[in-house]
Amino acid sequence: MIVSNMDIIDLTSDSEEGIIDLCSDSEDNNEFHSCKEDYTDYEDPVSPFHLPLVPFSTAPDQNIVEQPTDIDWHEIAKKEYDDWFSSRNASSSYSPVENDIKRVIPLSIPYGSAAKSEEFDAPNVEHQLPQSFSNGSFSPQSFAPNHSSLGDHIIKEDPTLNFSGFQRCTANGNGMPSSTMPTDDVFVYGGPRSHRIFPPPMPSRTSVNDTIVDNDVEKRLFSLDERAVYEEALKHISQEKGEEDLPEGVMSVSLLKHQKMALSWMLSKENSSHCRGGVLADDQGLGKTISTIALIQKEKVKQSRFTNSGSYCTNSVRNIDDDNMVIVMDKEEVKAEPLNKLDDSTRVHVASTLKLCDSQSVAASDSIEPRKKNRVRSSASTLGYKTRPAAGTLVVCPASVLRQWANELSVKVMEGSKLSVLVYHGCSRTRDPNLLAKYDVVVTTYMTVANEVPKENSDDEKKDREMSGIYPEFSVNSKRKRPKKQSKAKKKNKPSNSDAGPLARVRWFRVVLDEAQTIKNYRTQVSRACCGLRAERRWCLSGTPIQNKIDDLYSYFCFLKYEPYSKFSSFKDMIKYPISKDSARGYKKLQAILRIVLLRRTKETLIDGEPILKLPPKTIQLNKIDFTPEERAFYLTLEEGSRQKFKAYDAAGTIKENYASILVLLLRLRQACDHPLLLKGQESDLIDYNSIQIAKQLPKETVINLLEKLESGPAICSMCSDPPEDAVVARCGHVFCYQCVHENLTGDGNVCPYPLCGRKLSVRSVFTPAVLKLSILPKLEIDEKTSCSTADDKTSSICESSYISSKIREAVDILKSIKTRAITVGDTTGSIPSKMDPVKAIVFSQWTGMLDLMELSLNSNDIQFRRLDGAMCLNLREKGVNEFNNDPEVRVMLMSLKAGNLGLNMVAACHVIMLDPWWNPYAEDQAVDRAHRIGQTRAVTVSRFTVKDTVEDRILALQEKKRTMVQSAFGEDGSSGNATRLTVEDLRYLFMV
Ligand SMILES: Nc1ncnc2c1ncn2[C@@H]1O[C@H](COP(=O)(O)OP(=O)(O)OP(=O)(O)O)[C@@H](O)[C@H]1O
């Protein structure tokens, strides 16, 4: 365990998690409890050991210390697994539970009876059994990980832990339980004669302690479940690296070699018995979409068998959705069928015989004549069976790439193999689940899923919510509402179906999450809703699956139902805990675990000695820009003020308490590097008169409270984890950037994206300060932000919009030079020039204010541009992208980094300008890869702007640290380091204190 006394601040975590990790001592950190994870006590040391995660890579120059060949890998990995299990014996740092489990589930010896069963004759059993086994005693605690070494501040021992019938067991020097207990529920696995020895009944559940008993039992079961992972891993490493292709005439493009490999791997995953699906984590632009379409085509027959009969094999029926199935007597054969797929007469027969149905099956039986329908309704509820239509493949993606998916599904498939595709989005979307079931592929957005699918709410999450103090019933008066009386379904911790939309009312053959990093924070509405989708096969597509820390993986495991790690406590105990105890071993284990479900190739991967993709080169230039003397003076004044404030917090020991304020200080410095005017804010532009009407209907007290939320102190946008640009507050009191929240409110009936909130929201029920003031004041009285008042007379002119900052000047110079240029484009072999294409550029900034200022300069230089930001509707975005791609006169695309970095294909551009650095380097990579991807025929130049001797230099350095951490976790880099979180030292470094 490596929690130091140093306070840890995850400033570099973007998205929802940025304020999570002020965590080393929970007691005095109350202010941040609302966002604190309950396992923040684990740190993420970076593994110095790098198992190759990329099974197909043969790159000789992979910067992995030892990159074994496939055969070596098999041997080494097998040994690793064996060690992994057997080392639990030797190491006292491992918990008794692990030691014991090792003995109960040996790898090859068929242990039959640890408790001296007559049937069992394996030698050497006795000495391998823990004392508590051999003397017939055991305790639930002996299964619990030995956390005592974590220190009291991590997991406190519960003094009330005193079970009737059990004694507390302490670990002796060997990690063995030393006291004598009554026998607990003992499982003995292995060999054909495995059997289970049942214990005396558990004490009845009457107290909190009983829950702990359950937890311990659960832990043990999950530990046993790791055996399945182990076996799967062994199977996996011995697998040939196969290729699969489609017959001629199915796809309009030929699959590239690495895509054929991906197809083969995806097929094997979908048809395996353990965790059907996985994470395709190829670099962005390598063709994950194409590989997925190929998979859909390849498994089309099984998919239609599933949608027609509800099953393509008998096993699957049990796996996914027992409550949707009915038993049908078909001649002599008994088989499971989904209710809605039966013809009307059978359906009614089945319903009346088996007393099926609920409101959904009634919906499904709309076509049945009313009399029969009544019979179904009245008879069915007794048994509580449900029915859901069986549907095809659901693709969930960010709104910005919705149309692109639909387009790819159409143009990459030949006429004779066309897939029927439904884009399911917007207010006019159907409410009929049966209609969804008619399509091969349904494409929708994350927000639509969040809106329609009841959220999975595990015990862990409930606990997490309680610990973090986040309640959806947020009160603007800061009084916590009493939780409403819960419905029966909620009490049982099952999502209620009453408000479920059609997406939740079908059973999907396959669900694919594109840009799956969207769900990396498992607390968000979106993440929990995705987990709530019912599906037979599940896929995550992401070029950047780990962005901040290992915990990002938990969400994917949950979605994939990758047991046992889909359980929060198991993820902690089986992945995070080993990493914190011994990072080398822990990371090896993680990589082994990932290897089963994750395939990742980068653009640098070699296959059979050849580059995976023959892309034109990408050159990244770091443009180190100098401030003008006025800008420098402005910046230095600001910097000095910020430094003094930071020093004051530091001296008072209140850095943690002032986390948000510190972020604002940093934000101002970052913005000053772009243009001083950005510090002013431009809220008056964002007045929506419809919002004023809605605000006017709120009680005045509520409006004042909301206004206070925006103005009383620094807030942080929970979507980008930055102090909000153009801050808006939602009805529920959560504060966001204007464009971050608008990016998500693209349809009707949206929900607040704040983790665990889920309150219904519309574009009009998020308010700017101006809107709130206007709703209660007779006339607009908006305070000018005083940030620019730091400028003295000499520098005040640079706070005007007419002022062209150094960065804008540099960007416009580049754009002017490329405006006059056109590049000769050859075919892919670069032989005969085919045409002259104009040179185009994409310009990214994280602030829409900076894009506004760029617009002014482009207009005055007569450079045609289009724009894409989070506040624009999808139609306008799509139009802008099309015009940029196809109109030779349009030379520039101005893009918000937050809205435009994902998914889009923009190979018309061969120059990318990053106006400002973002904390997370992967967001920048995603952005650059809009242009550097398959289809690009020209060399791509990337200009990353940074102003010399400013905070930006230091952000770049921190980006590199973060990049190293993620690469190390994937085994893609030979270096190591610990850059998962910003420490107080990092902040000192940022402020040069
Ligand atoms: N085999 C192929 N033949 C022709 N074009 C291809 C092929 N594979 C992919 N492409 C094209 O390359 C581009 C990138 O592919 P795709 O969008 O599938 O990548 P991706 O990995 O999903 O990227 P991102 O992570 O950015 O979403 C697309 O325009 C796609 O049509």
Side-chain angles (χ1 to χ4, degrees), residues 88-96 99 103 171-177:
R88 297 165 188 212
N89 257 342
S91 164
S92 61
S93 65
Y94 276 91
S95 64
N99 285 322
R103 291 171 178 83
N172 62 22
N174 301 321
M176 300 290 180

Side-chain angles (χ1 to χ4, degrees), residues 642-699:
S642 308
R643 188 179 301 138
Q644 291 312 327
K645 278 192 186 147
F646 181 81
K647 272 183 168 172
Y649 295 138
D650 200 9
T654 57
I655 291 178
K656 285 189 292 185
E657 289 82 345
N658 290 292
Y659 179 83
S661 309
I662 292 168
L663 278 191
V664 172
L665 297 177
L666 281 172
L667 174 78
R668 292 198 176 141
L669 292 175
R670 288 156 57 207
Q671 288 183 323
C673 292
D674 272 18
H675 196 298
L677 184 68
L678 294 184
L679 277 69
K680 245 183 171 174
Q682 292 164 343
E683 290 143 357
S684 51
D685 287 344
L686 302 173
I687 295 171
D688 175 342
Y689 288 93
N690 292 311
S691 297
I692 298 175
Q693 295 313 316
I694 291 181
K696 274 184 175 165
Q697 288 162 21
L698 299 174

Side-chain angles (χ1 to χ4, degrees), residues 696-821:
K696 274 184 175 165
Q697 288 162 21
L698 299 174
K700 196 169 173 185
E701 194 199 352
T702 306
V703 175
I704 291 169
N705 280 327
L706 289 175
L707 200 53
E708 242 179 60
K709 278 260 148 203
L710 286 171
E711 297 193 331
S712 64
I716 294 176
C717 168
S718 66
M719 303 195 71
C720 68
S721 298
D722 231 15
E725 183 189 22
D726 302 326
V728 290
V729 62
R731 183 64 226 275
C732 44
H734 297 124
V735 176
F736 304 97
C737 300
Y738 180 82
Q739 73 151 341
C740 282
V741 74
H742 272 244
E743 166 82 354
N744 279 282
L745 303 183
T746 47
D748 60 333
N750 297 288
V751 290
C752 173
Y754 191 87
L756 302 178
C757 174
R759 184 95 172 240
K760 288 257 188 290
L761 268 194
S762 79
V763 183
R764 287 167 191 162
S765 52
V766 289
F767 310 108
T768 63
V771 163
L772 292 171
K773 284 176 190 168
L774 272 174
S775 71
I776 49 173
L777 297 176
K779 71 179 186 60
L780 182 61
E781 292 170 18
I782 304 170
D783 299 333
E784 271 290 286
K785 282 260 169 74
T786 51
S787 319
C788 241
S789 64
T790 47
D792 58 21
D793 286 347
K794 241 168 79 187
T795 57
S796 63
S797 63
I798 65 174
C799 293
E800 303 298 326
S801 60
S802 55
Y803 177 75
I804 296 170
S805 69
S806 297
K807 270 196 182 173
I808 292 184
R809 189 180 308 281
E810 175 89 1
V812 171
D813 283 350
I814 293 176
L815 297 174
K816 277 201 299 201
S817 81
I818 65 173
K819 185 186 159 194
T820 53
R821 273 170 40 213

Side-chain angles (χ1 to χ4, degrees), residues 81-354:
Y81 292 122
D82 289 346
D83 285 354
W84 166 32
F85 274 75
S86 59
S87 64
R88 297 165 188 212
N89 257 342
S91 164
S92 61
S93 65
Y94 276 91
S95 64
V97 56
E98 289 167 323
N99 285 322
D100 294 337
I101 294 304
K102 192 265 165 191
R103 291 171 178 83
V104 182
I105 44 170
L107 300 179
S108 50
I109 307 168
Y111 288 178
S113 167
K116 300 179 179 163
S117 161
E118 297 290 323
E119 304 167 44
F120 184 61
D121 56 2
N124 303 326
V125 173
E126 200 65 39
H127 79 271
Q128 293 190 52
L129 291 171
Q131 194 185 340
S132 53
F133 260 126
S134 47
N135 64 14
S137 66
F138 218 75
S139 83
Q141 289 84 7
S142 62
F143 279 111
N146 177 10
H147 286 302
S148 58
S149 59
L150 296 175
D152 275 349
H153 62 292
I154 297 159
I155 296 176
K156 289 200 165 60
E157 293 199 339
D158 186 349
T160 63
L161 210 62
N162 184 17
F163 304 96
S164 57
F166 296 116
Q167 278 178 288
R168 206 166 167 68
C169 126
T170 54
N172 62 22
N174 301 321
M176 300 290 180
S178 57
S179 57
T180 319
M181 318 280 158
T183 311
D184 184 21
D185 190 3
V186 177
F187 292 84
V188 183
Y189 279 70
R193 286 179 292 164
S194 308
H195 65 274
R196 179 176 164 177
I197 301 163
F198 287 95
M202 295 287 281
S204 62
R205 298 192 53 171
T206 50
S207 70
V208 156
N209 291 344
D210 299 332
T211 318
I212 300 165
V213 175
D214 275 0
N215 285 346
D216 283 344
V217 171
E218 252 171 28
K219 262 181 196 149
R220 180 183 42 178
L221 287 172
F222 279 124
S223 299
L224 292 171
D225 281 347
E226 272 200 304
R227 180 174 172 81
V229 176
Y230 169 79
E231 282 171 353
E232 187 69 16
L234 283 183
K235 210 162 58 188
H236 199 77
I237 54 178
S238 58
Q239 241 165 27
E240 286 297 306
K241 43 182 182 181
E243 289 178 32
E244 280 283 348
D245 206 348
L246 288 159
E248 286 281 305
V250 177
M251 304 274 288
S252 62
V253 293
S254 315
L255 293 183
L256 301 170
K257 190 174 175 69
H258 71 277
Q259 293 167 344
K260 291 179 194 165
M261 289 171 157
L263 178 59
S264 163
W265 178 74
M266 291 172 100
L267 282 170
S268 75
K269 283 304 303 167
E270 286 209 342
N271 291 292
S272 87
S273 54
H274 181 263
C275 185
R276 292 188 170 159
V279 184
L280 181 58
D282 286 347
D283 256 1
Q284 45 276 3
L286 285 186
K288 295 184 288 296
T289 313
I290 300 295
S291 302
T292 308
I293 296 173
L295 176 72
I296 295 171
Q297 288 286 9
K298 195 82 182 175
E299 293 287 89
K300 204 172 167 186
V301 173
K302 281 190 189 160
Q303 177 169 312
S304 40
R305 214 181 296 154
F306 175 84
T307 51
N308 290 333
S309 70
S311 158
Y312 60 92
C313 67
T314 38
N315 282 350
S316 65
V317 172
R318 251 174 287 124
N319 282 347
I320 66 163
D321 203 4
D322 296 342
D323 59 355
N324 295 319
M325 310 310 294
V326 299
I327 307 301
V328 178
M329 305 289 278
D330 183 11
K331 294 184 187 147
E332 301 302 309
E333 198 187 354
V334 178
K335 62 178 184 183
E337 294 280 14
L339 186 61
N340 69 309
K341 293 297 171 192
L342 311 176
D343 63 48
D344 286 352
S345 57
T346 320
R347 189 188 299 151
V348 173
H349 166 76
V350 168
S352 57
T353 312
L354 295 174

